[in-house]
Amino acid sequence: MVSAHADAQQDHRETPPPPLMMMMMMEMQYNNNNNGYGLNEYMIQEDDWDRDLLLDPAWEKQQRKTFTAWCNSHLRKAGTQIENIEEDLRNGLKLMLLLEVISGERLPRPDRGKMRFHKIANVNKALDYITSKGVKLVSIGAEEIVDGNVKMTLGMIWTIILRFAIQDISVEETSAKEGLLLWCQRKTAPYRNVNVQNFHCSWKDGLAFCALIHRHRPDLIDYAKLNKDDHLGNLSLALEIAEKHLDIPKMLDPEDIINTPKPDERATMTYVSCFYHAFAGAEQAETAANRICKVLGVNQENEKLMEEYERLASELLEWIRRTTPWLEKRTPENTVEAMRHKLEDFRDYRRIHKPPKVQEKCQLEISFNTLQTKLHISHRPAFMPSEGKMVSKGYEEWLLTEIRRLERVEHLAEKFQQKAATHESWAQGKDQLLTLKDYESASLTELRVLLRKHEAFESDLAAHQDRVEQLAAIAQELNELDYHAAAVINERCQSICDHWDQLGTLTQKRREALERTEKLLETIDQLFLEFAKRSAPFNNWMEGAMEDLQDMFMVHSVDEVQSLISAHDQFKATLAEADSERQAILSIYNEVQKIAQSYGISSKLTNIYCDITPAIINQKWEKVKKSVPQRDGGLHEELSRQHANERLRRQFAAQANAIGPWIQTRMEEIARCSVDLAGTLEDQMNHLKQYEHNIINYKPNIDRLEGDHQLIQESLIFDNKHTNYTMEHMRVGWESLLTTVARTINEMETQILTRDAKGISQQQLNDFRSSFTHFDRKKKGGMETDDFRACLISMGYDLGEAEFARIMSLVDPDGAGVVTFQSFVDFMTRETGDTETSEQVIASFRILAADKPYILVDELRRELPPEQAEYCISRMPPYQGPDGVPGALDYTAFSTVLYGESDL
């Protein structure tokens, strides 16, 4: 660090920068926290200058003369002066004396030695004092001043002039430079041939200086006799009169000003500021005019804000009125595809149409808060807008629920139709068979065969009982799910049940008939009977297996499909046992064939007990075996689809689990920033705007998450065990983050408005915030009644019940039991600050009216800017007093109306 500083010193000695460039570097570092001269504005003004002139030695000459004269104007009060600005300040003694004279404060005792280190110590004491006044000195060290570096010395003096001579000049809350320029423009406005636009070329002809003198001391100059073409004469006259009669030393050289293409702005500003301070005691009328202009400007701005709020609110309410019926329409469609179209329309609404309206609503709230704050701090009546309406929510959840219901309904309906068709196919013609009278003409053997055959049918009938019950259960569930074709399903189910009951009745009747003839039956072919009894359940098992193998499945996770695969694997494990049963059944039929061959019975024997043949069993068995791999393929295909869905879940969850905490962290950072006492409100505002910038730049992550969410919904994925965040959580969190940072910025702007309007310092506001934060024990943004009482007691208030009740009525007019920060600041500023009232405005008008109880149009137009004058003339009622004159206006009634204290 020492080496770098030494190198920097060497660079300054070898190639020193121009003095104005160095001054601008210092100005960029100068930071005024008390409404002083804003150097950013200064730099913006200089950006349009001819850069080649920055090296003009004439400017350095003007600065030497002006700054030397300015220093002497103060040093003479201590009985001393300087001749050479860079030489006479080198030992630091006169520099310290100059600071003591202009500040009225004592600096540390100087070192009286003559060594170099004594001089450096004294200059450092002066620089430390300048720094303690909020001025940042960059690249200016005591060594350069002690070495007589003229550029560094001029830069340092200009910084002192800014801080102690120009900083406090402010007109209508402008910066120091703008305030000084506005003061000059107002004072010289009535004078011909004077047009003050800057602090360089506007002063070259001398008329502006003469006009300033004549405006305040018309006895010193006869402005009407001046010649606008006599630049040298005008400048010389003004500088001489100022020195002789106004005690303003001659800081400028007329010849240098005339011969310089563009006079030095700092020199001119320094000299003009002396006129401002010389005439400051005669500014009572102008101060009154400024106060009135400020009050009128507030009213005009508030009226514009009210009109803009009503317009924006009307547009937003009209959009809500058009959109609400569509969102509240919950008419379900009959198909999944139709409901998906509705969901896509809703996605377009959420992505495209709603976000701008959310921003408009947030902006509307911000405008309302800003307007109410401005009305409150200016003691105007509160603004009461018309009430809005809230947009219904839950439409997306209803759409997704309806799609799930329709999927389930369609699956059950198709399953019902399939099972019903199978059952109806089996039951078709059974009632005709049961009503045959074949037993009446049958032989005893045939009757016994018929009896056994009927027993086999009853076995089959019992096996179909579960199927009928399943059909009834499916129909019942479709009714409960509000299936649109439930009537058709119910009719078909009822038909099946009625037919089933009829079959049961017919079966019972036929059994009774066969049993009546059972004594006629003596023999039966046991093998065929056994075949029938075993083949029928086996055939039923194969049909059931085929139904299961061909049954559709609907799953939503890898675990569910793996469960189906496991069940299918268990089924496949039973195939060997089933094949053994098939072989056993076929062996019965083979035994019949052997007996027939052995005893010469016809080989074309027909099993009279059942219609099932070995060919049918083998055919169905082959179908079962063929369906097994097909089922395998379908399940594994579904497994792949569910794995893909799982990847989508994990992809969404990974982003959501990152975005959710990110949003929460930003919310916490914004909350901390809003209560951080370190730095100024402007610093916190900058931090908040940086947060806002980062949040806006984060928007692509939300968009990617929306894309993943859309893929999930298109894949009909309804749950995600990998994250607790849903897309709606993300949307609400994101919208809340945008709204929170915007509202927090608005609250910070409100605090700045309050601070500036109330005239409280940054330290006072920090103290208020520190007290509020300490007693906001629940950290919810508001002190409860007991906490507020404790806060007041800690600040020295002697509170009785009546006094505390009065204070609570001020800070909590709605009786909510909570004191907000804004209410607390308003109360404290009323207790500690000086605010403008209607009485102050009336007193200001009385000054302009020369103590008359009324004011005339000409007086308003003479003392106020045109816009404010016409505003008063158009709204001020005629004066009704007995001492009035024609055209007299009542400023007392007008001022009362401004603060909402009259119904005029």
Side-chain angles (χ1 to χ4, degrees):
M1 291 297 292
V2 173
S3 175
H5 183 68
D7 293 342
Q9 280 189 313
Q10 185 64 29
D11 291 342
H12 285 312
R13 297 189 187 98
E14 293 177 0
T15 57
L20 292 178
M21 290 292 288
M22 183 56 66
M23 294 178 205
M24 287 191 291
M25 290 168 59
M26 291 186 292
E27 291 169 356
M28 292 175 66
Q29 300 298 325
Y30 180 76
N31 180 21
N32 179 10
N33 294 327
N34 296 308
N35 292 328
Y37 180 26
L39 291 167
N40 288 331
E41 292 85 356
Y42 182 82
M43 292 303 296
I44 292 173
Q45 298 272 347
E46 286 191 342
D47 283 342
D48 297 330
W49 293 5
D50 185 353
R51 293 295 180 179
D52 294 333
L53 293 179
L54 293 177
L55 303 176
D56 191 346
W59 283 11
E60 181 175 322
K61 178 182 178 183
Q62 291 175 14
Q63 288 184 20
R64 279 174 176 270
K65 179 178 178 64
T66 301
F67 292 176
T68 300
W70 183 85
C71 291
N72 285 333
S73 70
H74 293 284
L75 287 173
R76 68 184 180 183
K77 299 174 185 177
T80 186
Q81 66 177 11
I82 60 174
E83 298 294 335
N84 187 311
I85 195 166
E86 68 267 24
E87 290 295 327
D88 294 348
L89 300 179
R90 290 177 61 182
N91 62 8
L93 296 176
K94 288 189 177 181
L95 178 59
M96 295 178 67
L97 182 62
L98 173 65
L99 291 173
E100 288 187 345
V101 171
I102 62 179
S103 69
E105 298 178 8
R106 296 289 297 174
L107 271 68
R109 292 177 63 86
D111 292 1
R112 291 299 180 180
K114 297 183 179 181
M115 302 296 289
R116 175 178 171 82
F117 72 88
H118 293 118
K119 298 177 182 180
I120 291 175
N122 289 334
V123 173
N124 271 327
K125 292 175 182 178
L127 296 180
D128 291 341
Y129 178 79
I130 296 173
T131 302
S132 72
K133 295 302 179 182
V135 181
K136 293 183 179 180
L137 298 173
V138 178
S139 300
I140 296 181
E143 292 83 358
E144 286 82 0
I145 305 302
V146 172
D147 291 339
N149 187 319
V150 65
K151 300 170 181 58
M152 293 293 182
T153 304
L154 291 175
M156 177 188 65
I157 297 300
W158 172 241
T159 303
I160 294 173
I161 293 171
L162 281 178
R163 173 60 182 84
F164 295 100
I166 299 179
Q167 171 180 300
D168 295 329
I169 299 175
S170 180
V171 179
E172 294 184 351
E173 299 182 350
T174 61
S175 67
K177 179 183 177 181
E178 293 170 337
L180 185 59
L181 185 63
L182 180 59
W183 179 80
C184 294
Q185 290 171 339
R186 286 186 176 176
K187 294 300 181 183
T188 61
Y191 293 88
R192 57 184 173 83
N193 300 323
V194 177
N195 184 17
V196 178
Q197 297 297 325
N198 50 53
F199 286 110
H200 37 83
C201 295
S202 295
W203 305 82
K204 290 187 66 172
D205 59 6
L207 290 178
F209 289 114
C210 292
L212 281 179
I213 296 173
H214 183 267
R215 178 64 185 266
H216 296 90
R217 292 288 304 275
D219 57 306
L220 298 179
I221 290 181
D222 187 352
Y223 187 87
K225 293 183 179 181
L226 297 178
N227 181 1
K228 67 182 180 64
D229 298 321
D230 185 10
H231 297 180
L232 181 61
N234 296 335
L235 282 169
S236 299
L237 177 64
L239 269 61
E240 290 171 3
I241 289 177
E243 185 175 36
K244 182 177 180 181
H245 297 282
L246 303 178
D247 197 27
I248 299 175
K250 189 180 293 184
M251 299 183 181
L252 302 174
D253 186 32
E255 291 78 5
D256 290 342
I257 295 176
I258 294 172
N259 296 330
T260 303
K262 189 175 185 180
D264 178 57
E265 186 180 41
R266 294 181 180 83
T268 305
M269 282 181 62
T270 302
Y271 188 57
V272 172
S273 70
C274 293
F275 283 84
Y276 178 92
H277 292 295
F279 297 132
E283 298 299 320
Q284 186 180 26
E286 181 174 350
T287 301
N290 288 340
R291 172 174 288 167
I292 293 171
C293 289
K294 177 181 176 182
V295 171
L296 297 179
V298 169
N299 261 46
Q300 290 171 310
E301 182 180 0
N302 290 343
E303 289 173 3
K304 292 178 182 178
L305 289 175
M306 291 176 188
E307 293 172 359
E308 180 65 10
Y309 179 88
E310 289 294 337
R311 182 185 67 79
L312 292 175
S314 298
E315 292 175 357
L316 184 59
L317 287 173
E318 176 60 20
W319 178 82
I320 292 173
R321 185 190 64 78
R322 295 195 311 269
T323 307
T324 300
W326 176 70
L327 289 174
E328 291 179 344
K329 185 180 180 181
R330 304 294 174 88
T331 304
E333 303 293 342
N334 293 332
T335 65
V336 174
E337 188 62 27
M339 292 304 296
R340 282 179 173 170
H341 282 306
K342 278 197 173 187
L343 182 60
E344 188 61 31
D345 292 341
F346 182 75
R347 287 201 192 103
D348 289 341
Y349 160 78
R350 289 287 292 151
R351 283 197 311 264
I352 300 171
H353 303 295
K354 184 181 177 182
K357 297 304 177 182
V358 171
Q359 291 299 109
E360 288 181 17
K361 180 175 180 293
C362 178
Q363 186 59 46
L364 198 62
E365 293 175 353
I366 290 173
S367 299
F368 179 81
N369 291 337
T370 300
L371 176 58
Q372 295 294 45
T373 298
K374 288 187 175 182
L375 290 172
H376 182 67
I377 64 179
S378 59
H379 303 287
R380 298 325 193 255
F383 173 56
M384 298 299 294
S386 54
E387 228 176 50
K389 298 179 181 179
M390 295 301 291
V391 180
S392 299
K393 297 183 179 180
Y395 187 69
E396 184 178 21
E397 289 83 355
W398 173 79
L399 286 173
L400 294 175
T401 302
E402 191 62 18
I403 289 175
R404 286 187 179 182
R405 184 187 70 81
L406 288 175
E407 279 194 321
R408 176 65 176 167
V409 163
E410 289 181 4
H411 171 71
L412 289 174
E414 188 171 354
K415 189 171 185 178
F416 177 90
Q417 299 293 357
Q418 186 183 66
K419 286 183 174 293
T422 301
H423 175 78
E424 288 169 343
S425 176
W426 170 85
Q428 184 178 6
K430 292 294 191 294
D431 48 351
Q432 288 84 0
L433 293 175
L434 291 172
T435 55
L436 289 176
K437 302 294 185 178
D438 53 344
Y439 55 85
E440 295 179 351
S441 59
S443 64
L444 180 61
T445 301
E446 290 171 341
L447 286 174
R448 294 186 67 87
V449 169
L450 291 176
L451 181 59
R452 299 298 182 264
K453 185 176 181 180
H454 186 70
E455 290 175 352
F457 172 78
E458 286 180 325
S459 177
D460 197 13
L461 184 68
H464 276 268
Q465 177 70 34
D466 289 340
R467 296 186 183 183
V468 175
E469 291 176 356
Q470 288 177 10
L471 286 170
I474 293 173
Q476 178 63 29
E477 187 172 355
L478 287 172
N479 280 323
E480 293 172 355
L481 291 175
D482 195 20
Y483 180 46
H484 66 92
V488 176
I489 294 294
N490 289 337
E491 183 179 354
R492 190 172 184 182
C493 182
Q494 188 61 46
S495 175
I496 290 173
C497 291
D498 291 344
H499 190 222
W500 179 258
D501 292 338
Q502 183 182 0
L503 288 178
T505 302
L506 293 175
T507 300
Q508 181 63 28
K509 289 181 178 180
R510 183 170 178 82
R511 165 167 278 282
E512 291 173 354
L514 291 175
E515 287 178 348
R516 283 192 302 269
T517 59
E518 185 178 8
K519 60 183 178 179
L520 303 175
L521 303 178
E522 297 179 343
T523 185
I524 188 170
D525 191 342
Q526 292 297 326
L527 290 175
F528 272 131
L529 181 58
E530 183 180 0
F531 179 89
K533 287 183 177 181
R534 296 182 66 175
S535 64
F538 185 72
N539 181 68
N540 189 63
W541 175 86
M542 287 192 295
E543 289 180 352
M546 286 299 298
E547 285 187 15
D548 292 337
L549 291 171
Q550 295 174 357
D551 185 28
M552 295 179 298
F553 48 82
M554 184 177 67
V555 295
H556 298 94
S557 68
V558 172
D559 291 339
E560 290 178 5
V561 71
Q562 285 180 338
S563 177
L564 291 179
I565 292 174
S566 177
H568 183 60
D569 291 337
Q570 292 176 4
F571 168 77
K572 289 191 294 184
T574 65
L575 289 178
E577 182 179 353
D579 189 48
S580 298
E581 177 65 10
R582 181 184 66 89
Q583 296 292 342
I585 293 172
L586 293 179
S587 67
I588 294 173
Y589 198 84
N590 293 334
E591 185 66 19
V592 170
Q593 296 298 320
K594 290 179 180 179
I595 292 173
Q597 291 176 4
S598 300
Y599 295 94
I601 301 173
S602 173
S603 59
K604 296 181 180 180
L605 291 173
T606 301
N607 191 339
I608 61 176
Y609 301 113
C610 66
D611 297 326
I612 302 171
T613 65
I616 292 175
I617 291 176
N618 288 331
Q619 181 183 9
K620 290 185 177 182
W621 177 254
E622 291 300 320
K623 287 184 179 179
V624 169
K625 291 199 299 183
K626 184 177 180 181
S627 297
V628 169
Q630 293 175 351
R631 181 74 169 182
D632 279 331
L635 289 172
H636 284 90
E637 182 180 346
E638 179 63 24
L639 180 62
S640 298
R641 190 175 77 86
Q642 289 302 326
H643 277 301
N645 290 350
E646 186 67 5
R647 287 192 294 272
L648 289 177
R649 289 188 183 94
R650 291 181 182 276
Q651 181 175 328
F652 176 90
Q655 291 193 76
N657 290 337
I659 292 174
W662 186 91
I663 292 176
Q664 181 62 32
T665 301
R666 300 292 86 75
M667 292 285 283
E668 293 171 356
E669 289 174 348
I670 292 169
R672 285 196 299 272
C673 183
S674 66
V675 298
D676 186 11
L677 298 181
T680 65
L681 291 177
E682 286 78 5
D683 293 337
Q684 295 178 43
M685 175 70 74
N686 291 335
H687 291 158
L688 287 171
K689 289 186 176 179
Q690 183 61 44
Y691 285 137
E692 185 179 47
H693 177 72
N694 294 339
I695 290 168
I696 293 172
N697 288 342
Y698 199 76
K699 181 62 164 57
N701 295 293
I702 303 297
D703 294 339
R704 284 194 295 273
L705 191 65
E706 282 282 8
D708 290 343
H709 177 63
Q710 182 171 345
L711 291 176
I712 283 177
Q713 288 195 328
E714 289 173 352
S715 299
L716 297 178
I717 300 171
F718 301 107
D719 56 2
N720 194 340
K721 65 182 180 180
H722 303 296
T723 180
N724 292 325
Y725 296 105
T726 65
M727 193 63 234
E728 187 59 26
H729 289 154
M730 295 294 100
R731 291 169 182 154
V732 171
W734 177 251
E735 292 173 1
S736 176
L737 181 59
L738 291 176
T739 302
T740 297
V741 72
R743 286 175 176 167
T744 305
I745 289 174
N746 178 244
E747 290 172 1
M748 199 62 63
E749 291 172 343
T750 299
Q751 292 184 28
I752 292 174
L753 281 173
T754 302
R755 181 197 66 190
D756 296 341
K758 300 294 186 179
I760 60 178
S761 67
Q762 179 68 46
Q763 183 59 45
Q764 285 178 305
L765 192 58
N766 284 346
D767 292 341
F768 295 161
R769 293 167 67 199
S770 177
S771 297
F772 181 89
T773 301
H774 177 76
F775 287 96
D776 178 15
R777 304 188 191 279
K778 295 185 178 180
K779 306 305 177 187
K780 293 185 177 180
M783 290 186 286
E784 295 184 351
T785 303
D786 292 339
D787 294 333
F788 179 59
R789 183 194 297 271
C791 179
L792 292 180
I793 293 173
S794 72
M795 300 174 72
Y797 282 80
D798 184 14
L799 295 174
E801 289 300 323
E803 176 62 9
F804 183 72
R806 182 191 69 81
I807 295 175
M808 283 301 297
S809 69
L810 296 176
V811 298
D812 183 23
D814 297 329
V818 176
V819 180
T820 65
F821 179 72
Q822 186 62 47
S823 297
F824 179 69
V825 171
D826 290 343
F827 171 77
M828 293 307 300
T829 52
R830 283 197 298 271
E831 295 292 305
T832 61
D834 181 22
T835 59
E836 294 172 347
T837 64
S838 59
E839 288 78 13
Q840 290 176 317
V841 176
I842 292 171
S844 298
F845 272 117
R846 185 175 292 111
I847 292 173
L848 300 187
D851 282 334
K852 300 191 299 294
Y854 58 83
I855 193 167
L856 301 176
V857 171
D858 291 341
E859 291 173 331
L860 288 170
R861 287 177 173 160
R862 182 179 67 246
E863 297 296 342
L864 299 178
E867 183 179 355
Q868 280 75 20
E870 297 306 321
Y871 181 85
C872 291
I873 294 169
S874 64
R875 288 168 169 76
M876 198 173 285
Y879 179 72
Q880 303 295 335
D883 54 345
V885 299
L889 300 177
D890 191 346
Y891 59 77
T892 299
F894 173 75
S895 300
T896 304
V897 171
L898 285 179
Y899 286 87
E901 299 173 5
S902 170
D903 295 327
L904 185 62

